[in-house]
Amino acid sequence: MSTLSDLVYAQGRSSEADVEWLHRLAGDGQLLADLAFADIVIWVPTDEDSFVAVAHTRPGGAATLFYRDIVGGHVRPQWRTQVRGAFQSARIVDSASPDWFEETPTRVRAVPIVRTHNGAPAATIGVLTRHTNLGETRTPSRQQITFNDCADDLFGMISSGEFPDLSAPTAPRRGAPRASDGLVRLDVDGITTFASPNALSAFNRMGFDDELEGESLIEVTTRILPAKRQFDESLPLVVTGRAPWRIDIEARGVTVSLRTIPLRDHGDRIGAIVLCRDVTELRHQEQELITKDATIREIHHRVKNNLQTVASLLRIQARRSHSEEAREALTQAMRRVAAIAVVHDTLSEGLSQTVDFDNVFDRVLKLVAEVAAAPNTRARTRSTGKFGTLPSEYATPLALALTELVTNAVEHGLAGQEGDVEIIAERGEDNLAVRVRDSGSGLPEGHVGRGLGTQIVRTLIQGELGGTIDWHTVMGSGTEVTIDIPMRYIERELI
């Protein structure tokens, strides 16, 4: 499915500022739909004197009208005149009589989307339509009436370019409050004129045991919060309804997330909406994840240190060995352990259990080139292409396998001579292909080594990575080893 940006740019009539404005508005589509108890659709004009839907949100507490996705479709003929009228006049246009949509009576409101620049209206960039299902109409409750009033205030702000507010923070934390979680309506002085049952319950759990309506929200908040605790400086602005901000407040072991939306009427502040949600359990989970991530990073750090100690012991033992064969075996073991240590070192530096394998391999390549080169051998190593991001359980076997292949290329392919070793990585949608090529003497065609290194490589590539490996001689001179790993095998672990 095309993104909002793709759909908007495809019409050829919008700027980057328009797209950002529409993105911010679409981000609050669920809030508008829940407050209006209606479907919310955002339209932008096309070159064909029509409009195309670029965003659609269904209400959480009412029946939707659109059971099929309408994003990307053109405005229906019965709405076109109304939508065009709102766009051209920059005024809200309501349907004169109930409109029928697939045998369901509806009421449609078309709201011009006005973008401002430096506080002044700059352009009408689209139209928002509210589609209310009249088929399930019943006597509205006080909460529904208040929600609808809040929606009407926001629609008015959209038509005057006062909503969305680009100064408000984007990318809300997990658990951002929604209308259904709890809503408090404030007047211009910060006095509560309405509090939904969920909002009252959230404050009750923090220690407030009275009614919120008629109370100053900042005074209520001040009374329930611990006196000696330091608070965010934006707290007074949020609970008085003066700033479009988000904040968490905590009392009695309960954490409530607040989001304030100041309400304005052509520049004059008329009150605010405060959304609130009990996020105690979510914040506990987040803290547990942070602790878990820190523990995992510390484990990787300690494993890396231990592996480096083992590698150092193997290096010391190799230097003291009188047998050339034993010295070679210990050196190879040291190199393998050091390659694994590099992966754990990378994992200890971040929160994710995935690694940038290009960074890992650059470090491994330097390590291999330094250790493997013999006195009479001069190897130039270089890596081209991109490996991309890999899960840790695949980064380790691939790093080990490539360590073995580069080592063999230096020690055997270029033994006693000068030459190049090139590693070429090509990552596609379906596979990761890696070629290790040297300019050495090459292998007899059809001949593959039978040593421990070859066995290790086969086990790692075929057994642990589900891939294939092939050795063959390059035309002229040298050996090329080709590794092919199916991406679906890797990406399944990244999900």
Side-chain angles (χ1 to χ4, degrees):
M1 179 183 295
S2 298
T3 65
L4 182 147
S5 300
D6 294 334
L7 289 169
V8 174
Y9 280 130
Q11 312 315 313
R13 299 180 55 167
S14 301
S15 64
E16 290 186 9
D18 295 341
V19 173
E20 181 184 5
W21 194 275
L22 292 169
H23 260 298
R24 295 294 292 268
L25 182 59
D28 276 317
Q30 193 62 61
L31 171 64
L32 295 169
D34 291 345
L35 291 176
F37 295 91
D39 287 86
I40 298 296
V41 184
I42 295 177
W43 308 87
V44 295
T46 69
D47 290 334
E48 294 81 21
D49 194 30
S50 182
F51 293 82
V52 65
V54 297
H56 169 223
T57 308
R58 296 178 173 88
T64 181
L65 285 171
F66 307 109
Y67 292 94
R68 298 178 181 85
D69 189 15
I70 66 170
V71 173
H74 286 265
V75 65
R76 294 197 172 210
Q78 65 263 39
W79 306 327
R80 186 178 297 130
T81 300
Q82 186 178 351
V83 170
R84 185 186 294 116
F87 183 81
Q88 293 176 346
S89 67
R91 294 185 178 182
I92 296 176
V93 179
D94 289 306
S95 53
S97 59
D99 176 67
W100 289 85
F101 178 79
E102 296 184 357
E103 301 182 354
T104 301
T106 68
R107 180 177 292 113
V108 181
R109 165 171 283 192
V111 181
I113 302 172
V114 176
R115 176 176 63 80
T116 58
H117 179 67
N118 293 332
T124 302
I125 59 176
V127 175
L128 178 148
T129 53
R130 181 196 67 184
H131 303 262
T132 306
N133 187 339
L134 301 179
E136 298 185 354
T137 301
R138 58 183 182 272
T139 303
S141 64
R142 181 166 175 254
Q143 175 169 310
Q144 184 171 351
I145 292 173
T146 303
F147 276 32
N148 282 329
D149 288 343
C150 292
D152 289 341
D153 288 333
L154 291 176
F155 291 147
M157 291 170 63
I158 291 170
S159 67
S160 61
E162 296 173 293
F163 189 82
D165 190 331
L166 297 189
S167 67
T170 58
R173 291 181 64 186
R174 181 168 169 257
R178 302 158 298 190
S180 58
D181 296 320
L183 182 144
V184 176
R185 175 73 185 249
L186 303 179
D187 65 15
V188 69
D189 297 316
I191 305 300
T192 303
T193 60
F194 172 83
S196 70
N198 286 344
L200 181 60
S201 295
F203 278 87
N204 288 161
R205 285 191 288 271
M206 289 191 295
F208 180 73
D209 55 4
D210 204 345
E211 293 294 327
L212 277 173
E213 293 186 21
E215 296 280 352
S216 166
L217 190 60
I218 188 169
E219 292 181 4
V220 170
T221 305
T222 302
R223 290 204 302 267
I224 64 177
L225 294 181
K228 296 182 180 181
R229 181 173 297 176
Q230 291 185 340
F231 302 105
D232 194 308
E233 294 179 355
S234 63
L235 177 61
L237 296 176
V238 172
V239 294
T240 56
R242 296 176 179 273
W245 216 251
R246 296 185 180 97
I247 195 171
D248 284 359
I249 59 176
E250 182 178 354
R252 294 190 176 185
V254 176
T255 304
V256 173
S257 181
L258 302 179
R259 178 197 174 186
T260 296
I261 304 172
L263 299 176
R264 299 182 178 87
D265 182 6
H266 294 87
D268 296 326
R269 197 166 60 85
I270 60 174
I273 299 170
V274 181
L275 304 176
C276 46
R277 178 180 183 180
D278 186 338
V279 293
T280 306
E281 187 59 31
L282 287 174
R283 296 298 179 254
H284 284 167
Q285 292 174 0
E286 289 176 354
Q287 188 60 46
E288 289 175 358
L289 288 173
I290 291 173
T291 303
K292 177 183 175 182
D293 288 336
T295 302
I296 291 174
R297 289 201 308 274
E298 179 62 21
I299 290 172
H300 284 303
H301 181 71
R302 294 188 181 188
V303 169
K304 181 263 296 184
N305 288 343
N306 291 338
L307 289 173
Q308 288 181 337
T309 300
V310 172
S312 297
L313 293 174
L314 290 171
R315 184 184 295 109
I316 293 171
Q317 190 66 42
R319 289 174 178 174
R320 294 189 176 187
S321 176
H322 299 292
S323 167
E324 185 64 32
E325 184 177 352
R327 185 183 300 110
E328 177 63 22
L330 289 169
T331 301
Q332 290 183 358
M334 181 273 296
R335 184 167 53 244
R336 291 161 186 155
V337 171
I340 300 175
V342 169
V343 176
H344 284 281
D345 187 30
T346 303
L347 288 168
S348 70
E349 297 173 354
L351 295 175
S352 175
Q353 289 304 295
T354 61
V355 297
D356 179 356
F357 195 79
D358 295 289
N359 178 42
V360 170
F361 186 63
D362 285 345
R363 297 171 63 183
V364 169
L365 191 59
K366 293 178 181 177
L367 174 71
V368 172
E370 291 175 2
V371 176
N376 297 325
T377 303
R378 184 178 179 185
R380 294 181 295 270
T381 58
R382 68 177 182 273
S383 177
T384 59
K386 294 290 184 181
F387 289 91
T389 301
L390 297 177
S392 59
E393 53 266 47
Y394 291 95
T396 299
L398 183 58
L400 274 174
L402 293 176
T403 297
E404 294 297 326
L405 292 175
V406 174
T407 300
N408 285 340
V410 174
E411 291 185 342
H412 303 294
L414 299 177
Q417 57 182 296
E418 180 179 341
D420 300 307
V421 177
E422 183 178 12
I423 302 89
I424 306 165
E426 298 176 355
R427 182 160 182 171
E429 294 183 0
D430 300 323
N431 71 311
L432 171 63
V434 184
R435 288 177 290 161
V436 180
R437 177 190 301 167
D438 68 69
S439 59
S441 54
L443 290 171
E445 193 63 39
H447 175 78
V448 178
R450 299 180 181 274
L452 177 60
T454 302
Q455 294 178 25
I456 291 175
V457 171
R458 284 191 185 279
T459 300
L460 294 171
I461 297 300
Q462 297 175 348
E464 297 196 31
L465 298 178
T468 60
I469 184 167
D470 179 56
W471 282 264
H472 59 274
T473 301
V474 179
M475 185 65 67
S477 65
T479 301
E480 182 176 86
V481 183
T482 303
I483 297 172
D484 192 279
I485 303 170
M487 285 301 300
R488 63 182 180 276
Y489 200 74
I490 294 176
E491 289 177 345
R492 189 163 57 242
E493 300 296 328
L494 288 172
I495 296 176

